[in-house]
């Protein structure tokens, strides 16, 4: 019996000293996770990104690069959100859209670029301003990380691998009732009381806490808004090449047209 106890003790000590065992993920609190990832994003300078928006059978993709800093995020991207390629640039809080040449007469401008805004009174902004603004916001990790800080609860965490890069993988539930006016997917504040509940977010962070991938699963919201059972809605954004030049400029002023209401 004594010999068996000694063998068991040695086995436990060996396990405790096993340097190959992975340490646990860094964060157990959603706010601490969001604060660290936000700080790492801001100091990371810039990154390339690719976004995949899948709602049921409808799918759109985008890719571009973003520059992060204390003064906010600037980005340039190309997306097929409207069914054909469109370039967007977000600089100093203004969102510019390059109107496809065949659509400029319909929009009411002869110049390639226009400024769009969710509260714009011109027809182009009224139709696409809100959607394009949300699309640009979802490319900015700070947007989702702010939601995680305000309304998130970590439900699981593990050390993982993403495309050959060591990562910490977190699953977080966001409480709709705690998000206030900062709601995803164009959800109106007065709909929160009807829907309630939570929706999941997944985050992969590198060893300096910079985001590698963020997945928003909006399927519960789609179902709550009357979507068919089993309908899915996910936004997946992947970040690569952190620390690159990140050169993002506004279009030349003489190339930006003025839209009339």
């Amino acid at each position: 019996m004594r010999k068996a106890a000694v063998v068991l003790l040695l086995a436990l000590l060996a396990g405790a000293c096993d340097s190959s065992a992975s340490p646990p993920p860094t964060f157990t609190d959603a706010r601490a996770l969001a604060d660290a990832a936000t700080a790492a994003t801001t100091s990371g300078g810039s990154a390339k990104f690719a976004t995949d928006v899948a709602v049921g059978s409808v799918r759109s993709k985008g890719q571009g690069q973003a520059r992060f800093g204390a003064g906010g995020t600037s980005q340039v991207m190309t997306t097929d959100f409207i069914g054909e390629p469109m370039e967007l640039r977000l600089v100093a809080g203004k969102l510019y859209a390059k109107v496809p040449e065949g659509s400029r007469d319909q929009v009411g401008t002869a110049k390639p670029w226009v400024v769009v805004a969710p509260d714009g009174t011109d027809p182009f902004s009224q139709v696409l301003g809100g959607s394009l603004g949300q699309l640009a916001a979802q490319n900015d990790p700070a947007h989702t990380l702010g939601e995680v800080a305000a309304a998130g609860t970590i439900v699981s965490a593990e050390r993982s691998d993403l495309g050959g890069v060591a990562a910490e993988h977190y699953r977080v539930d966001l409480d709709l009732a705690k998000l206030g006016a900062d709601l995803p997917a164009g959800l109106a504040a007065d709909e929160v009381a009807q829907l309630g509940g939570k929706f999941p977010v997944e985050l992969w962070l590198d060893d300096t806490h910079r985001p590698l991938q963020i997945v928003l699963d909006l399927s519960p919201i789609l179902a709550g808004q009357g979507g068919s059972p089993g309908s899915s809605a996910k936004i997946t954004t992947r970040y690569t090449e952190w620390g690159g030049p990140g050169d993002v400029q506004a279009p030349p002023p003489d190339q930006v047209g003025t839209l009339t209401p």
Side-chain angles (χ1 to χ4, degrees):
M1 180 66 70
R2 183 176 180 180
K3 182 177 180 181
V6 171
V7 171
L8 177 60
L9 177 60
L10 291 175
L12 291 172
L13 289 173
C17 296
D18 183 3
S19 60
S20 65
S22 297
T26 305
F27 303 104
T28 57
D29 175 74
R31 179 174 290 276
L33 182 157
D35 289 347
T38 299
T41 297
T42 301
S43 63
S46 65
K48 291 186 176 180
F49 62 84
T51 299
D52 186 339
V53 180
V55 181
S57 60
V58 178
R59 194 166 190 174
S60 67
K61 294 187 177 184
Q63 56 280 322
Q65 62 179 345
R67 185 177 67 244
F68 309 104
T73 297
S74 298
Q75 60 179 272
V76 56
M77 72 174 297
T78 301
T79 177
D80 59 1
F81 178 75
I82 61 172
E84 58 181 310
M86 173 182 281
E87 184 178 346
L88 302 175
R89 296 188 188 185
L90 178 65
V91 181
K94 285 188 176 181
L95 180 61
Y96 302 86
K98 191 172 186 179
V99 182
E101 189 170 357
S103 302
R104 290 173 193 168
D105 288 342
Q106 300 173 1
V107 171
T109 179
K111 296 186 177 181
W113 291 91
V114 296
V115 177
V116 295
D119 57 354
T121 56
D122 61 277
F124 188 83
S125 289
Q126 289 181 338
V127 173
L128 290 175
S131 297
L132 294 178
Q134 291 165 17
L135 185 63
Q138 294 301 340
N139 296 327
D140 183 359
H143 180 80
T144 300
L145 291 170
E147 294 176 336
V148 169
T153 301
I154 295 176
V155 296
S156 70
E158 62 181 352
R159 292 199 174 263
S160 181
D161 178 278
L162 184 68
V165 178
E168 292 186 0
H169 178 198
Y170 294 89
R171 292 179 175 85
V172 178
D173 276 349
L174 291 187
D175 188 339
L176 280 171
K178 294 181 180 179
L179 285 178
D182 187 18
L183 299 171
L187 188 65
D190 58 5
E191 294 179 287
V192 171
Q194 299 176 18
L195 294 180
K198 301 177 181 180
F199 70 95
V201 176
E202 292 185 73
L203 304 99
W204 286 258
L205 307 180
D206 68 11
D207 57 3
T208 65
H209 311 319
R210 297 175 303 194
L212 294 173
Q213 182 168 275
I214 298 176
V215 178
L216 280 74
D217 186 354
L218 305 176
S219 303
I221 293 177
L222 184 66
Q225 290 180 313
S228 59
S231 294
S232 63
K234 286 188 177 182
I235 302 174
T236 302
T237 308
R238 181 82 177 268
Y239 302 92
T240 58
E241 298 185 35
W242 279 95
D247 185 21
V248 180
Q249 303 291 335
D254 62 353
Q255 295 295 306
V256 181
T258 300
L259 298 176
T260 57

